[in-house]
Every structure is written in C-alpha cells, then in structure tokens.
C-alpha cells in the first residue's frame, strides 16, 4: 500500500483509460476485456523497481494507442 | 423531480436551437474546416439552473444506490457483508483495481466526475457516501 504514490496514480489513470476504451472492444467488455485487463495489471502488481513500473506503464500506453 | 424535468427540457431546447442555428453559422463561416459548434448548450442550461437549491439527495438514497451498484458488481465475493460501513478491500475482498472500477461506476451513477486525487481517498461505502453528499452536482 505504501508504494510511491505518483506512480500509483499513473497506473490507476492508465487502467481507467483502458477500461473506458475497452467498452467498445469487439469481443465483449464484461466477459472478455475487463477480466483480461485486470489479470494483466494484477500480474505486474508485485513490481517494486520504479523503472520496471515505468516500463509497464509505457507498455500500457502503447496498448492504448494501438486500439 | 420538477427540476430534472426543467433541466431536461432546457437541454432539449438548447440542442434544437443550436441545430437550428447551425446552417446560418455554416453559411457565414467561409472555411469548412472551422468547427460550427460555437454555441455550447452548457451555458444555456446554467442560466436555468438554481444553484441555491440543494442537490435533493438524502444520505439514505445515496447509500442505497451505492449498495445496489455494489450488489451488481460481480467481484463482490460475499454480498452478506455488504453494509453502509463496508470497506472495499477489507470487507468486500476487492483489490485496488476493482476499487477504481467501483469509483468509475459511482461516477456514472451520480453523473459526476471524481478527480483522481479524491478518487484515491475513497476506500469504503461510507467514504463514497460522504463524498457524494459534499457534491452539489450529484444526481
């Protein structure tokens, strides 16, 4: 819980943006996109290194652009 | 109820008048690349709105609506633990990402926008209710 808060905000912001974008995902939102997005973020929830987290955020931004 | 109806009709009126004005504006503006949406409906709505009157949302109503919303949220693993004092993480078994989703759902339910900073501080039903109570824009 005591993670660096600026990065924490960043992660939540990008998560929220992806959720908004995912509503129009062709394979479905509730049963496809949302669980998968959650899993993808959850898989990286253990990251401690700031650079690693930043890299992951950049990856999320990349996914956002691709949509 | 009357206020909502008034607002809605005002919005309709603003939109129709905006649409009616559009051709005129389009003719006046030479370049087709300039956006013709000059008149914003928001300004005409604010003219009708009475800011002095309260939001009209009672604490019980807000709590009820938030509880309903959480009841329909599929990640709440134990609906029996759901109460006005429930903590999202400790009582309902939601993680921080789920909390983001709950806050998003609350934003939509009350048609407001919660800034990231304030959204971060909402971790329980009672905190959400307090926040909505403090928002005059909440519907």
């Amino acid at each position: 819980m005591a993670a660096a808060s600026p990065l924490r905000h960043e992660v939540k912001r990008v998560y929220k943006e992806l959720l908004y974008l995912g509503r129009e995902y062709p394979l479905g939102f509730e049963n496809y996109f949302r669980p998968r997005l959650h899993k993808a973020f959850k898989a990286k929830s253990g990251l401690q290194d700031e650079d690693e987290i930043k890299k992951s955020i950049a990856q999320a931004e990349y996914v956002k652009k691709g949509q | 109820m009357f206020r909502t109806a008034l607002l809605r009709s005002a919005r309709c009126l603003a939109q129709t008048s905006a649409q009616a004005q559009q051709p005129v504006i389009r003719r006046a503006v030479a370049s087709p690349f300039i956006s013709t949406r000059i008149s914003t409906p928001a300004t005409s709505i604010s003219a009708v709105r009475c800011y002095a009157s309260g939001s009209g949302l009672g604490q019980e109503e807000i709590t009820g609506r938030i509880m309903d919303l959480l009841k329909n949220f599929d990640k709440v693993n134990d609906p029996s633990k759901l109460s006005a004092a429930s903590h999202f993480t400790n009582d309902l078994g939601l993680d921080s990402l789920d909390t983001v989703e709950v806050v998003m759902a609350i934003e939509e339910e009350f048609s407001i926008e919660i800034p990231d900073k304030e959204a971060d501080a909402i971790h329980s039903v009672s905190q959400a209710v307090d926040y909505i109570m403090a928002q005059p824009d909440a519907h």
Side-chain angles (χ1 to χ4, degrees), chain A residues 1 8-9 11-13 15-16 19-20 23 30 34 38 41-42, chain B residues 73-75 95-98 100-101 104 107-108 114 116-117 120:
Chain A
M1 264 306 188
R8 200 181 172 78
H9 275 226
V11 173
K12 283 188 177 175
R13 183 189 54 78
Y15 183 67
K16 211 167 158 182
L19 272 178
Y20 276 121
R23 297 210 171 154
E30 280 300 316
R34 197 161 66 112
H38 195 273
F41 271 71
K42 187 100 182 166
Chain B
F73 194 61
D74 51 2
K75 294 224 184 79
D95 62 27
S96 58
L97 296 174
D98 295 323
V100 173
E101 287 173 42
M104 254 171 80
E107 282 183 342
E108 265 154 42
I114 305 176
D116 286 352
K117 235 186 206 157
D120 234 32

Side-chain angles (χ1 to χ4, degrees), chain B:
Chain B
M1 240 352 177
F2 174 69
R3 203 167 63 98
T4 338
L6 198 75
L7 271 175
R8 241 174 234 152
S9 59
R11 199 175 298 149
C12 280
L13 237 154
Q15 270 164 3
T16 47
S17 65
Q19 274 164 8
Q21 278 167 11
Q22 259 182 10
V24 185
I25 297 162
R26 205 169 282 158
R27 240 176 285 135
V29 178
S31 165
F33 297 106
I34 295 173
S35 170
T36 50
R37 288 179 57 201
I38 292 167
S39 64
T40 47
T43 49
S44 15
I45 292 168
S46 60
V48 194
R49 199 169 151 173
C50 305
Y51 278 100
S53 59
S55 71
L57 284 177
Q59 189 171 4
E60 300 92 56
E61 195 198 338
I62 298 172
T63 314
R65 274 163 75 180
I66 291 176
M67 302 254 274
D68 276 345
L69 179 154
L70 282 165
K71 225 179 279 162
N72 295 326
F73 194 61
D74 51 2
K75 294 224 184 79
V76 175
N77 50 13
D78 193 359
S80 61
K81 273 191 177 173
L82 190 56
S83 77
S86 309
H87 191 277
F88 293 152
T89 323
N90 300 345
D91 299 324
L92 304 174
L94 302 175
D95 62 27
S96 58
L97 296 174
D98 295 323
T99 309
V100 173
E101 287 173 42
V102 170
V103 171
M104 254 171 80
I106 292 173
E107 282 183 342
E108 265 154 42
E109 172 71 24
F110 295 94
S111 51
I112 50 166
E113 205 172 306
I114 305 176
D116 286 352
K117 235 186 206 157
E118 270 109 89
D120 234 32
I122 298 174
H123 294 293
S124 66
V125 176
S126 59
Q127 278 169 344
V129 172
D130 289 344
Y131 183 79
I132 301 292
M133 289 281 280
Q135 297 303 306
D137 286 345
H139 289 289

Side-chain angles (χ1 to χ4, degrees), chain A residues 1 27 43 49 51 61:
Chain A
M1 264 306 188
L27 290 171
D49 185 36
D51 289 333
E61 293 283 350

